Amino acid sequence: MRHVISALVQNTPGVLAHVAGMFSARGFNIDSLVVGRTDDPRFSRMTIVAIGDDRTIEQVRKQLDKLVTVVRVRDFQDTEYVERDLMMLRVAATPEKRAEIIELVGLFRGRVIDVAKQSLTIELSGTEHKLEALIDLLRPYGIRELARTGVIAMQRGRQSDGRTEDDEQ
Amino acid sequence: MSNESSKSGKSYVGLTGAQMFNEMLVEEGVEVLFGVPGGVLLPIFDALHKSTVPFILTRHEQGAIHMADGLARSTGKVGCCLATSGPGATNLITGLANAYMDSVPLVAITGQVRSTLIGNDAFQEVDTTGITRPVTKHAVLVKKAEDIGRCMSEAFHIARTGRPGPVVVDIAVDATTAKLTEEPSLEHDLPGYRLKTTVHMRQIKMAVDAINEAQRPVLYVGGGVIISGATEALRALAHKARIPVTTTLMSMGTFDESDPLALQMLGMHGSASANYAVQDCDLLIAVGARFDDRVTGKVDTFAHKAKIVHIDIDATSISKNVRADIPVVGDAKDILEKMLPLIESKDRSQWLAQIAQWKAKYPFRYVPNAKVKPQAVIEAIGKLTNHDAIIATGVGQHQMWTAQFYGWRRPRQFISSGGLGTMGFGVPAAIGAQFGNPGKLVIDVDGDGSFSMTMVEIMTAVRYNQPVKIVVLDNNYLGMVRQWQELFYGKRYSGVHHPCPDLAGIARAMGATGLRVSEPSDVEDSIRTMINTEGPVVLVADVEPEENVFPMVAAGKSLHEMDMGRLA
């Protein structure tokens, strides 16, 4: 089962090593781990996509919460949330194919951010599924380079007064 | 427990970082500081020169940290040790992992190279916080003098609260030489470290209902009971509800073994009565224990007839190895005290009769012969110390026999490496316990293998007049490994023969008294002589070389599939 877990962490040296080390030491599998600043310079936000059964994920959540530098942990499972992954992709594009590719990208609401003689660089954000769908469609043209940020997520607004983050049991 | 020192109104302006370090040792009530100096610690040692905190120079950093550990386990206070950068820090690793596995409150301070050199492979540089992070509760690097006070205060707070553990404070040398130009803030900045202070009453009620309904309950209690000071609450609850109690290696003595409800130790080398009771119970109440594999044996069949209540302050311990039906997260003492008035007095005579029958049929025992039996030595130590000494051990057969045969009466009496299984722990841990308990009798029961690893610290005991007694059960084998080779590898002894020179003579050369006993009839007298001799004493007992520890649950077997060995 895929879980998206968000951790608010102290913005101190070694936090990333601490979290990553815990995952490897305990044999937990992670699909992606994203770290970014928050509106408060004291804290960063980590978003982790982890795969495992309920018991494993429960351990992941608790082990994260146990780290001294981790302030709050939230598992988005069973909540209404939105998630986004951002991708940049350079695809081979001869002048003849260019229009075709741009049309495809347009259907996905992606943007062309760089045009070269033989390639196009595309920016697309969305769920992992959406990104993968476009990747599949562009693969026949020849993908030259691809970079993704990994997933970030947020609970939907109207539910924010529901389950609290500190609720442990 | 949080830091209040800024209220004292003391000004630290004008002090160097090293002097601030010393101020914090005093502030935190450190009674002794164990360690070894080194280049980057020179400013700190200059500050310690005038300190009221005595510094104990050990022969090796591992000795220093095990001493701090022994002091902490035997007193409940935070142990403290100091090591230099590079090899000093790496020599602490075993001791940190050891304390981490057994939830021992320690603060280890390490020197670090100049902050501007960090990352440049400077002389005696290692990434101390990086190396220690997986084996500590927390590890921080301090690069500025003004952070030393706060970081040390936080370290002591983290080490002693919640589920305790070791904390490393790695201090760059330039932070210790710099002067404080402004008043440093000692206010903790730990937004991610929240202590669980409230317990869900709903969970407590569920646990209580389960206990009141149970026909055949067993209390399985671990080190958390000792840490939280719940011994009395446990006794009261066990007696009111008439529930038998089994203790783990980490909690020997927290339930008086002379009590009819005592099942003694459970697990791989536990008592048959404890293991049978766990396998037959309909409710297992785990308190401050973590379902270690040496306790559970085959995990799928562990307590397979029972509903499981798990009380622990560490939420990660719950349902980690064995799924808990009723988890109760919080402080063991607090929870047991809240449960007590809700618990119904019960007779449970049928269950207790079954327990009594097992206890009568399967006591820990051994077959005497013409040689000195290691178990007999430990029984004699128990008897001659009135079961009241502080006993440290190394790791191996002697450790299991000590757990089985001493006869434990009170908490913080048994100082032993449980989770990590650190050979060599005994000698320094006993010395540390002696520092923490002046005037009390402290005995290290050791094996020749464990003893050999850290016996150098006898010099420390001699130098600082710490009258520890050390009994070496010398069988010229690494006995536990030999036992496994005997039982599971067709007696193909490989790498376990461990011939020893005259260990009593070595002890004498180090300034201790060295004694030796080889005849069963001399055992009691030699122990008496050891106890009555002033100063450190090493008593070497030449014991039956191929004695085995029984009962034994082989790896992968269920607790009720014990091998009773030649005792059956």
Side-chain angles (χ1 to χ4, degrees):
Chain A
M1 191 70 178
R2 173 182 179 273
H3 287 241
V4 181
I5 296 166
S6 160
L8 188 69
V9 301
Q10 264 187 292
N11 205 354
T12 50
V15 180
L16 179 59
H18 209 169
V19 170
M22 186 278 287
F23 272 91
S24 75
R26 299 205 173 260
F28 298 140
N29 291 317
I30 41 179
D31 249 23
S32 68
L33 191 159
V34 180
V35 195
R37 284 185 288 201
T38 64
D39 60 323
D40 185 334
R42 292 175 303 156
F43 303 113
S44 296
R45 170 81 60 191
M46 283 190 192
T47 309
I48 299 150
V49 178
I51 312 287
D53 56 27
D54 287 352
R55 196 163 153 185
T56 307
I57 297 295
E58 180 65 8
Q59 266 296 315
V60 169
R61 197 186 62 73
K62 291 195 288 193
Q63 292 288 356
L64 269 173
D65 210 25
K66 190 172 164 177
L67 301 180
V68 170
T69 43
V70 173
V71 181
R72 259 201 303 277
V73 182
R74 170 185 292 182
D75 181 356
F76 286 111
Q77 187 71 14
D78 303 325
T79 66
E80 290 282 317
Y81 72 100
V82 281
E83 63 172 74
R84 289 291 179 272
D85 192 351
L86 172 67
M87 167 173 79
M88 289 199 282
L89 180 156
R90 180 154 51 244
V91 60
T94 53
E96 310 83 75
K97 295 281 184 193
R98 205 177 277 154
E100 200 177 313
I101 293 171
I102 290 172
E103 192 189 341
L104 266 177
V105 170
L107 289 172
F108 280 78
R109 299 191 192 184
R111 298 198 308 149
V112 175
I113 54 175
D114 185 47
V115 184
K117 280 181 186 159
Q118 295 297 322
S119 71
L120 285 173
T121 301
I122 290 147
E123 170 198 314
L124 179 69
S125 79
T127 62
E128 290 186 315
H129 280 304
K130 179 177 167 183
L131 268 52
E132 271 143 31
L134 182 65
I135 293 168
D136 281 344
L137 287 168
L138 293 180
R139 190 165 282 127
Y141 298 94
I143 293 170
R144 294 284 171 260
E145 202 176 341
L146 193 155
R148 286 167 70 167
T149 58
V151 168
I152 55 170
M154 198 166 281
Q155 203 166 2
R156 286 190 188 273
R158 60 193 158 79
Q159 287 232 337
S160 58
D161 53 351
R163 212 175 69 166
T164 67
E165 294 172 89
D166 297 68
D167 199 347
E168 278 196 22
Q169 285 179 9
Chain B
M1 287 285 209
S2 86
N3 165 61
E4 303 272 308
S5 55
S6 46
K7 280 188 190 160
S8 65
K10 204 186 269 183
S11 173
Y12 299 110
V13 174
L15 298 185
T16 64
Q19 288 165 333
M20 185 66 198
F21 165 85
N22 180 53
E23 289 290 322
M24 293 312 295
L25 293 182
V26 175
E27 192 85 38
E28 293 293 339
V30 175
E31 287 168 10
V32 260
L33 178 63
F34 303 98
V36 180
V40 297
L41 290 180
L42 281 163
I44 279 183
F45 274 86
D46 197 43
L48 289 174
H49 181 62
K50 289 153 262 171
S51 180
T52 53
V53 179
F55 174 74
I56 306 303
L57 175 63
T58 62
R59 302 286 155 165
H60 190 282
E61 287 86 352
Q62 186 186 357
I65 192 164
H66 287 335
M67 285 182 207
D69 186 318
L71 182 145
R73 288 185 206 232
S74 61
T75 63
K77 295 171 188 164
V78 180
C80 197
C81 64
L82 177 60
T84 194
S85 63
T90 54
N91 280 346
L92 292 180
I93 305 293
T94 303
L96 289 168
N98 186 64
Y100 187 50
M101 291 286 267
D102 290 348
S103 311
V104 178
L106 286 188
V107 172
I109 296 106
T110 51
Q112 183 53 275
V113 300
R114 185 166 298 281
S115 59
T116 50
L117 292 179
I118 290 175
N120 290 359
D121 299 324
F123 176 65
Q124 292 193 328
E125 181 192 355
V126 292
D127 175 10
T128 302
T129 50
I131 297 173
T132 58
R133 208 173 275 126
V135 292
T136 55
K137 188 171 174 187
H138 196 51
V140 286
L141 170 63
V142 184
K143 293 188 191 175
K144 291 185 199 139
E146 57 262 39
D147 292 335
I148 288 177
R150 176 180 54 80
C151 288
M152 284 191 60
S153 177
E154 287 175 351
F156 278 88
H157 173 65
I158 292 168
R160 71 162 71 95
T161 52
R163 178 177 176 178
V167 179
V168 165
V169 184
D170 190 31
I171 309 178
V173 60
D174 45 326
T176 63
T177 51
K179 270 208 165 83
L180 291 163
T181 52
E182 280 174 49
E183 205 58 57
S185 168
L186 300 186
E187 200 180 319
H188 292 179
D189 180 25
L190 298 168
Y193 188 68
R194 297 171 317 266
L195 293 167
K196 181 130 178 106
T197 49
T198 55
V199 183
H200 291 237
M201 232 17 234
R202 195 171 57 94
Q203 296 302 111
I204 288 186
K205 291 214 176 82
M206 281 170 71
V208 166
D209 288 345
I211 292 170
N212 288 340
E213 283 162 24
Q215 303 293 314
R216 304 185 311 279
V218 167
L219 275 154
Y220 146 49
V221 307
V225 173
I226 294 179
I227 293 165
S228 79
T231 299
E232 181 46 37
L234 168 73
R235 199 198 56 81
L237 189 139
H239 279 260
K240 186 174 182 189
R242 308 276 291 151
I243 303 175
V245 181
T246 178
T247 51
T248 69
L249 191 69
M250 297 315 303
S251 64
M252 304 311 292
T254 197
F255 196 77
D256 186 335
E257 292 192 341
S258 64
D259 190 309
L261 291 172
L263 293 167
Q264 301 177 281
M265 183 169 71
L266 82 164
M268 180 173 272
H269 293 297
S271 71
S273 51
N275 287 346
Y276 286 144
V278 165
Q279 292 304 80
D280 204 40
C281 69
D282 63 352
L283 180 73
L284 188 75
I285 310 138
V287 189
R290 60 183 178 83
F291 295 83
D292 181 90
D293 58 275
R294 286 298 193 263
V295 159
T296 61
K298 187 178 175 187
V299 79
D300 303 335
T301 55
F302 177 72
H304 55 289
K305 298 176 189 167
K307 190 184 259 191
I308 291 173
V309 172
H310 192 176
I311 298 168
D312 206 292
I313 199 158
D314 179 4
T316 65
S317 283
I318 289 174
S319 295
K320 182 177 66 183
N321 299 335
V322 171
R323 182 171 272 300
D325 298 293
I326 305 171
V328 192
V329 179
D331 176 68
K333 183 182 178 197
D334 180 33
I335 292 166
L336 293 181
E337 283 177 350
K338 286 199 166 89
M339 284 167 81
L340 192 57
L342 307 172
I343 295 281
E344 292 165 11
S345 291
K346 287 261 160 119
D347 179 34
R348 298 199 164 95
S349 52
Q350 214 179 331
W351 176 231
L352 294 180
Q354 170 70 77
I355 300 278
Q357 198 188 332
W358 281 325
K359 282 181 70 168
K361 196 169 174 194
Y362 307 109
F364 286 124
R365 56 193 205 94
Y366 56 93
V367 184
N369 63 13
K371 297 209 175 110
V372 174
K373 286 282 182 165
Q375 302 95 324
V377 176
I378 292 156
E379 270 185 337
I381 296 170
K383 189 178 114 188
L384 295 172
T385 59
N386 204 19
H387 306 280
D388 192 41
I390 294 168
I391 307 286
T393 73
V395 167
Q397 288 184 310
H398 69 276
Q399 177 192 31
M400 293 297 109
W401 287 318
T402 306
Q404 292 177 338
F405 287 94
Y406 182 76
W408 306 100
R409 296 290 180 268
R410 59 182 175 84
R412 302 200 180 280
Q413 187 181 11
F414 182 54
I415 312 298
S416 195
S417 168
L420 195 68
T422 310
M423 286 177 67
F425 179 67
V427 173
I431 297 169
Q434 187 74 78
F435 270 107
N437 297 270
K440 294 226 177 94
L441 178 59
V442 180
I443 302 176
D444 168 37
V445 178
D446 229 322
D448 50 304
S450 281
F451 177 76
S452 298
M453 289 188 179
T454 50
M455 63 181 174
V456 66
E457 299 299 347
I458 289 170
M459 289 190 256
T460 310
V462 169
R463 175 178 171 190
Y464 293 102
N465 302 313
Q466 297 300 306
V468 288
K469 315 301 175 196
I470 299 168
V471 178
V472 184
L473 302 174
D474 187 357
N475 56 13
N476 286 299
Y477 276 117
L478 298 175
M480 188 58 95
V481 182
R482 185 208 55 74
Q483 174 171 342
W484 283 58
Q485 291 180 346
E486 177 186 332
L487 299 176
F488 309 115
Y489 290 87
K491 239 183 164 178
R492 293 184 296 280
Y493 292 164
S494 177
V496 293
H497 187 47
H498 188 260
C500 289
D502 176 13
L503 296 175
I506 290 177
R508 282 192 289 273
M510 287 193 275
T513 302
L515 306 170
R516 180 159 219 117
V517 59
S518 308
E519 294 298 326
S521 55
D522 295 339
V523 166
E524 289 206 2
D525 275 347
S526 66
I527 292 168
R528 263 189 218 102
T529 307
M530 173 189 81
I531 292 170
N532 295 328
T533 302
E534 276 183 42
V537 182
V538 175
L539 168 62
V540 181
D542 294 305
V543 297
E544 172 80 78
E546 298 196 28
E547 187 71 13
N548 287 334
V549 182
F550 287 116
M552 177 173 189
V553 179
K557 295 275 189 185
S558 303
L559 287 193
H560 56 273
E561 299 174 288
M562 267 167 298
D563 180 354
M564 304 299 283
R566 283 164 236 152
L567 311 177

